[in-house]
């Protein structure tokens, strides 16, 4: 595919060689691999998100316990996973190949990229708040609510991404259930 700088798209080279069947098989393989990698990345992110969500639930069910330090550590772990995940999607994941297969989705991909920028700003704002000694004088529930709202946004964002990847790459390869 054309995301490799300096190289023509694989399909272009194969077309010139007259290997239409090989080209189609290669595209199916590439699409399946993109879908698989994207699913693996979403799974890893979901695990980090679940760990953070469990801590938030613990903070809510035991409001007298001071979980600020644990919340801070879990948030930093989640933040690292989410930043790596978004970089993967933008630089080597599904975004470029998705638009190559379905150019009509370019606007939707741009929206997802804008959401990534929003999430980066939100992650930084929450990190500053968690790092700030002034923020720690406020009830931990304020931070729990802010982090929970961000997690809800991430979950909705991931559902859209998963849907686009599955609809595009499995529908085009005939592997969709």
């Amino acid at each position: 595919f054309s995301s490799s700088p300096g190289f023509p798209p694989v399909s272009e080279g194969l077309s010139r060689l007259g290997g239409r069947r090989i080209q189609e098989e290669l595209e199916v393989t590439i699409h399946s691999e993109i879908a698989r990698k994207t699913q693996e990345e979403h799974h890893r992110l979901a695990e980090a998100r679940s760990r953070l969500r469990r801590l938030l639930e613990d903070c809510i069910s035991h409001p007298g316990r001071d979980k600020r330090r644990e919340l801070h550590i879990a948030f930093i772990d989640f933040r690292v996973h989410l930043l790596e995940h978004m970089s993967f999607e933008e630089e080597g994941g599904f975004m470029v190949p998705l638009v190559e297969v379905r150019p009509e989705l370019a606007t939707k991909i741009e929206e997802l990229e804008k959401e990534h920028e929003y999430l980066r700003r939100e992650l930084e704002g929450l990190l500053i708040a968690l790092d700030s000694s002034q923020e720690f004088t406020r009830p931990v529930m304020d931070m729990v609510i802010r982090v929970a709202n961000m997690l809800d946004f991430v979950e909705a964002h991931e559902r859209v991404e998963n849907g686009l990847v599955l609809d595009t790459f499995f529908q085009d390869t005939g592997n969709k259930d």
Side-chain angles (χ1 to χ4, degrees), residues 22 44 53 57 96 106 119 129 131 151 153-154 159 163 169:
I22 294 170
R44 276 193 284 278
R53 180 79 70 188
E57 290 168 359
V96 170
L119 285 167
D131 283 343
L151 290 178
F153 186 88
V154 169
R159 279 192 299 274
F169 295 130

Side-chain angles (χ1 to χ4, degrees), residues 6-175:
F7 295 100
V10 172
S11 57
E12 184 179 303
L14 289 173
S15 292
R16 283 185 272 158
L17 295 173
R20 183 73 183 141
R21 185 178 63 79
I22 294 170
Q23 175 185 347
E24 289 172 358
E25 288 175 11
L26 183 59
E27 287 175 358
V28 166
T29 301
I30 290 170
H31 295 169
S32 295
E33 183 64 14
I34 290 167
R36 185 189 65 75
K37 282 184 176 180
T38 300
Q39 292 288 304
E40 286 176 2
E41 282 295 317
H42 284 166
H43 180 71
R44 276 193 284 278
L45 181 61
E47 288 174 348
R49 192 177 61 237
S50 292
R51 284 191 299 273
L52 184 54
R53 180 79 70 188
R54 282 190 302 274
L55 180 58
L56 296 176
E57 290 168 359
D58 189 43
C59 289
I60 292 167
S61 63
H62 301 96
R65 292 185 192 158
D66 190 353
K67 298 280 187 174
R68 292 176 192 164
R69 180 166 163 64
E70 291 174 66
L71 179 59
H72 189 240
I73 292 168
F75 178 79
I76 288 171
D77 180 58
F78 172 76
R79 178 182 169 273
V80 166
H81 277 83
L82 183 56
L83 290 172
E84 288 174 355
H85 175 79
M86 291 186 298
S87 291
F88 162 78
E89 290 178 340
E90 296 165 354
E91 297 169 12
F94 72 89
M95 290 185 167
V96 170
L98 190 87
V99 173
E100 288 175 351
V101 172
R102 293 184 56 197
E104 72 274 12
L105 293 177
T107 302
K108 187 64 183 169
I109 294 300
E110 288 174 11
E111 290 173 16
L112 291 171
E113 288 173 332
K114 286 178 184 174
E115 287 182 5
H116 283 187
E117 288 307 311
Y118 164 78
L119 285 167
R120 284 183 178 95
R121 287 189 307 272
E122 188 65 14
L123 287 169
E124 290 311 305
L126 283 166
L127 183 61
I128 290 168
L130 285 166
D131 283 343
S132 167
S133 60
Q134 182 180 25
E135 187 67 33
F136 281 110
T137 63
R138 297 176 59 200
V140 74
M141 280 305 158
D142 291 351
M143 292 309 304
V144 167
I145 291 167
R146 285 184 65 188
V147 173
N149 288 339
M150 189 210 47
L151 290 178
D152 291 343
F153 186 88
V154 169
E155 288 170 3
H157 177 88
E158 293 293 299
R159 279 192 299 274
V160 171
E161 289 178 343
N162 278 330
L164 289 173
V165 168
L166 292 174
D167 287 348
T168 299
F169 295 130
F170 285 115
Q171 180 179 25
D172 287 350
T173 64
N175 292 331

